[in-house]
Amino acid sequence: MDDPAASKKQPASSSADSSAIYTTITTTPTANLSINVLGLALVCVTPMALGFVYGFDIGSTSFVLALLLKAGGADGGGGSEIVWWSHLTSLQQGLFVSALSLGALIGSHLMILEWCTKNIGRRLELQVAAALYLVGSMINIASGTLLQSSHNEFGFCALFLGRTLFGIGVGLVMHGAPAYLAEMCPPQIRGAVVSAKETVIVSGIVVGYAVGNWISASTSSSSSSSSSYSQQQEGHLASWTQIYVFKVVLLEVPFFLLTFCIPRSMRWLIYNGYRKEAEQSMRFLYKSSSNSSSTTTTNDSSNNNNKDDDISVAFDKLAKQIEETTEASSPSPSFSNEQANNMSNLLSKENRPALVASMGLIVFQQVSGQPSLLSYTTLLFEQAGWGGNASVLTSIFMMCMSTSTVLFVDKVGRKPLLKLCCCVMMGASLVLCICYWYMTTAAASNTAASNATLDNTVEMTELSSRFRWIVLIAVFLYIGGYQIGFGPLTWCIASEVFPLSIRGKAMALGVEVNYLLSFLVVFVLPILQTALGWAPIFAVFSCLSALGYWFVDHYVPETKGLTLEQIQKKLLPERMASINSLDHDHDDDDESPSETTRLIPT
């Protein structure tokens, strides 16, 4: 009954199986290769280390701002003219905090530009980001040392410039790190590695809190023992600049040097025609397997003397697969460099499923409220009767939940974890909505009944005591649910679903959308909280989490265990099937994979 010819062209064709859309890309080229552990460690650690610096800056910045304000307000008298930050305005405080987001927007937008897309590879992008980290922090140190005089108008300008340059580096890291990890890591651990980037950022936040708290505490103790105002100012001067000195010496300099110890992305090199360097990049990550070498020697006697022949064969297969998937993602059957790098290709019908899946996740990641809510957890806990220690415990809990995602993402899959994330956040936000509604109503009733009896007061206290524990648990679940799914997996999927020809531009657009939405939500949230209160806000978050579940179920593909090329075949089944049918016509010729032409002419 079955047509042999049809089964040859579409060996996995089945309407009941979602994997039926795979045609010729059914095996992983590197499946028979052994992983070079040291090479894999360098490839993974370097991008993550730059993410750790980003997290450290998030955690330590709150202490820098607090020490700036404390130094400026240490004396209400004439001594306030000693340093420029002694009269820091609210506008300058806002510019100091928002400079990082501004820089990240600039950095992500740069990677959308045509020249950057064509000429800047993933490794170079990470090197530039690390250099911007270093330069920005050194300018910040200079603003508090060389330019500390209150009569020097360049003091705050230098601080703002340094923060902006650091932010540009953050934008490049958030764009380049996921793309580099996705293009270099073996498919069986790719999800865990890319997701671990979020865990490393959270770890940096925890360390930033710890270092900032340590320096702040030591400064406060030394300043309290100082008799004169000038001595107190010197103590605060040493403290907030010491945070940046710590970051430069122990983090940014070593990590900048580390970026020169890794190869360029082998997939980016193949796409741009650097085949020899691309093969060397593969050899950095893999080593020859004795079993596969013997098999290859039997099948191809011309390569008997090459002990790494299986790596060469795997490289040629990967190059051919990249050529096929890149051609399928181009807006016309005849692939060209101009079409691949044109912005219209990103918006084309062929790439629409990937665009919808990735940008939709980025939108839900921000409108779910958790990233913005982190800035207001202290207010939430204080309203519920908890102190600042609850915020520290929250950051530690975030790190633990992100770690659990890393452990299970390549076993359970992306979609199940994202669905679990939406369910947990929906339930937790609904509980928070009810709790704050009850607390607000109870507080209003207590205020109205000014002549309340002692029994009513005791009852109100017991009610608040119960709710404070419920709020604590619900906030932990809300944040934990985010770290299960949206936090680590959004950028994991965004780095996987786009074709190589537009991955850099697509990731840059995603980072830009991410920081734009983050700025808008952070800006609107306190306004809504003042006007409506927390209860309606959490009700909206609950509805958005439910909508996120529906979106994940309908538009997000499962990418567990698939190579990047297999994912493209999953998103482009019709286009790939037509190309593969043409390729099968030439299969009988048994042409050597090494004859695969370069995708872009020199």
Side-chain angles (χ1 to χ4, degrees), residues 241-263:
T241 53
Q242 279 181 359
I243 292 178
Y244 288 115
V245 170
F246 179 94
K247 187 170 62 168
V248 167
V249 176
L250 297 183
L251 298 179
E252 292 174 349
V253 170
F255 295 162
F256 172 69
L257 298 176
L258 201 61
T259 59
F260 292 90
C261 300
I262 59 174

Side-chain angles (χ1 to χ4, degrees), residues 108 112 175 343 346-347 351-367 486 489-491 493-495 497-498 502-517 548 551-552 555-557:
S108 58
I112 299 180
H175 167 266
M343 191 66 182
L346 177 59
L347 307 176
N351 297 313
R352 195 171 301 162
L355 187 67
V356 171
S358 60
M359 297 304 162
L361 285 177
I362 291 173
V363 170
F364 280 108
Q365 182 191 49
Q366 293 299 326
V367 301
F486 285 137
L489 296 183
T490 294
W491 295 107
I493 292 178
S495 66
V497 295
F498 287 103
I502 60 169
R503 183 173 296 128
K505 188 169 293 187
M507 291 294 293
L509 178 62
V511 173
E512 194 167 14
V513 171
N514 174 75
Y515 279 102
L516 179 61
L517 287 175
F551 176 84
V552 170
Y555 292 101
V556 177

Side-chain angles (χ1 to χ4, degrees), residues 77-334:
S80 61
E81 294 298 324
I82 292 179
V83 289
W84 61 261
W85 61 86
S86 60
H87 42 78
L88 204 64
T89 65
S90 58
L91 176 62
Q92 289 175 323
Q93 296 173 34
L95 289 174
F96 168 74
V97 176
S98 61
L100 189 144
S101 296
L102 174 63
L105 279 173
I106 296 173
S108 58
H109 186 74
L110 288 175
M111 297 311 301
I112 299 180
L113 301 180
E114 203 71 24
W115 185 90
C116 295
T117 303
K118 292 179 180 179
N119 297 280
I120 298 182
R122 318 300 188 214
R123 186 186 66 177
L124 179 58
E125 188 176 356
L126 295 177
Q127 290 171 341
V128 173
L132 289 171
Y133 277 4
L134 190 58
V135 172
S137 296
M138 292 180 69
I139 292 177
N140 288 337
I141 295 172
S143 69
T145 53
L146 300 177
L147 305 175
Q148 64 173 298
S149 172
S150 63
H151 302 291
N152 194 328
E153 60 184 12
F154 297 106
F156 176 78
C157 294
L159 181 66
F160 179 78
L161 175 62
R163 297 290 299 156
T164 303
L165 290 176
F166 185 90
I168 295 176
V170 169
L172 297 180
V173 168
M174 294 299 291
H175 167 266
Y180 183 82
L181 291 172
E183 292 173 3
M184 288 293 290
C185 288
Q188 62 269 27
I189 62 170
R190 186 184 61 242
V193 171
V194 179
S195 301
K197 183 181 70 69
E198 176 73 14
T199 304
V200 172
I201 292 176
V202 176
S203 302
I205 294 175
V206 175
V207 175
Y209 277 136
V211 172
N213 185 54
W214 169 60
I215 293 178
S216 179
S218 62
T219 301
S220 298
S221 61
S222 62
S223 297
S224 61
S225 61
S226 301
S227 57
S228 66
Y229 174 77
S230 60
Q231 288 177 328
Q232 293 179 6
Q233 285 284 6
E234 290 175 359
H236 292 296
L237 167 65
S239 63
W240 75 266
T241 53
Q242 279 181 359
I243 292 178
Y244 288 115
V245 170
F246 179 94
K247 187 170 62 168
V248 167
V249 176
L250 297 183
L251 298 179
E252 292 174 349
V253 170
F255 295 162
F256 172 69
L257 298 176
L258 201 61
T259 59
F260 292 90
C261 300
I262 59 174
R264 293 202 282 180
S265 167
M266 57 184 173
R267 283 180 168 86
W268 186 88
L269 290 168
I270 292 173
Y271 173 73
N272 286 278
Y274 302 102
R275 291 179 60 87
K276 184 176 181 180
E277 186 180 352
E279 185 172 349
Q280 292 300 318
S281 179
M282 178 178 280
R283 294 183 188 278
F284 184 89
L285 194 61
Y286 296 97
K287 56 185 178 181
S288 178
S289 173
S290 57
N291 293 333
S292 60
S293 292
S294 60
T295 303
T296 304
T297 303
T298 302
N299 294 334
D300 190 357
S301 59
S302 63
N303 293 318
N304 282 337
N305 295 326
N306 187 355
K307 65 179 181 180
D308 290 330
D309 180 67
D310 51 345
I311 295 183
S312 299
V313 172
F315 171 78
D316 290 327
K317 290 180 179 179
L318 178 64
K320 185 175 182 181
Q321 291 180 3
I322 290 175
E323 183 182 26
E324 290 177 348
T325 54
T326 304
E327 183 178 353
S329 64
S330 61
S332 67
S334 57

Side-chain angles (χ1 to χ4, degrees), residues 299-484:
N299 294 334
D300 190 357
S301 59
S302 63
N303 293 318
N304 282 337
N305 295 326
N306 187 355
K307 65 179 181 180
D308 290 330
D309 180 67
D310 51 345
I311 295 183
S312 299
V313 172
F315 171 78
D316 290 327
K317 290 180 179 179
L318 178 64
K320 185 175 182 181
Q321 291 180 3
I322 290 175
E323 183 182 26
E324 290 177 348
T325 54
T326 304
E327 183 178 353
S329 64
S330 61
S332 67
S334 57
F335 171 76
S336 67
N337 185 27
E338 291 75 17
Q339 289 170 329
N341 289 286
N342 195 289
M343 191 66 182
S344 63
N345 189 19
L346 177 59
L347 307 176
S348 65
K349 179 181 178 181
E350 289 79 9
N351 297 313
R352 195 171 301 162
L355 187 67
V356 171
S358 60
M359 297 304 162
L361 285 177
I362 291 173
V363 170
F364 280 108
Q365 182 191 49
Q366 293 299 326
V367 301
S368 65
Q370 195 269 1
S372 306
L373 198 67
L374 285 178
S375 303
Y376 303 97
T377 50
T378 302
L379 295 177
L380 280 171
F381 287 134
E382 287 179 352
Q383 188 171 343
W386 293 99
N389 290 334
S391 298
V392 178
L393 293 176
T394 300
S395 64
I396 297 175
F397 183 70
M398 287 172 57
M399 183 174 62
C400 295
M401 296 307 297
S402 296
T403 303
S404 66
T405 302
V406 173
L407 297 175
F408 291 106
V409 63
D410 284 314
K411 298 178 180 178
V412 178
R414 281 65 156 164
K415 290 188 69 170
L417 290 177
L418 284 169
K419 290 181 179 180
L420 177 62
C421 158
C422 294
C423 291
V424 172
M425 293 184 69
M426 179 177 61
S429 55
L430 185 60
V431 171
L432 287 169
C433 171
I434 296 173
C435 287
Y436 279 99
W437 180 77
Y438 267 110
M439 285 191 293
T440 303
T441 304
S445 301
N446 193 30
T447 302
S450 56
N451 298 323
T453 64
L454 179 62
D455 293 338
N456 289 336
T457 303
V458 172
E459 182 181 354
M460 193 69 63
T461 302
E462 292 177 351
L463 180 66
S464 299
S465 178
R466 288 198 303 269
F467 276 124
R468 68 194 292 261
W469 282 101
I470 297 176
V471 167
L472 180 66
I473 296 172
V475 169
F476 268 50
L477 289 175
Y478 185 76
I479 293 175
Y482 176 88
Q483 295 303 138
I484 292 174

Side-chain angles (χ1 to χ4, degrees), residues 522-593:
V522 170
F523 178 75
V524 171
L525 191 61
I527 299 175
L528 294 178
Q529 192 276 329
T530 302
L532 304 175
W534 285 115
I537 291 176
F538 281 114
V540 172
F541 287 161
S542 182
C543 295
L544 290 173
S545 297
L547 185 61
Y549 182 96
W550 174 85
F551 176 84
V552 170
D553 185 56
H554 285 76
Y555 292 101
V556 177
E558 179 56 72
T559 60
K560 179 184 71 172
L562 305 178
T563 66
L564 298 181
E565 290 70 41
Q566 287 173 326
I567 295 171
Q568 294 312 304
K569 296 188 72 66
K570 187 172 186 178
L571 295 175
L572 299 166
E574 298 85 359
R575 188 63 171 274
M576 290 302 299
S578 62
I579 292 177
N580 289 323
S581 63
L582 295 176
D583 291 340
H584 278 299
D585 294 338
H586 302 284
D587 284 347
D588 294 336
D589 296 338
D590 195 22
E591 296 180 352
S592 173

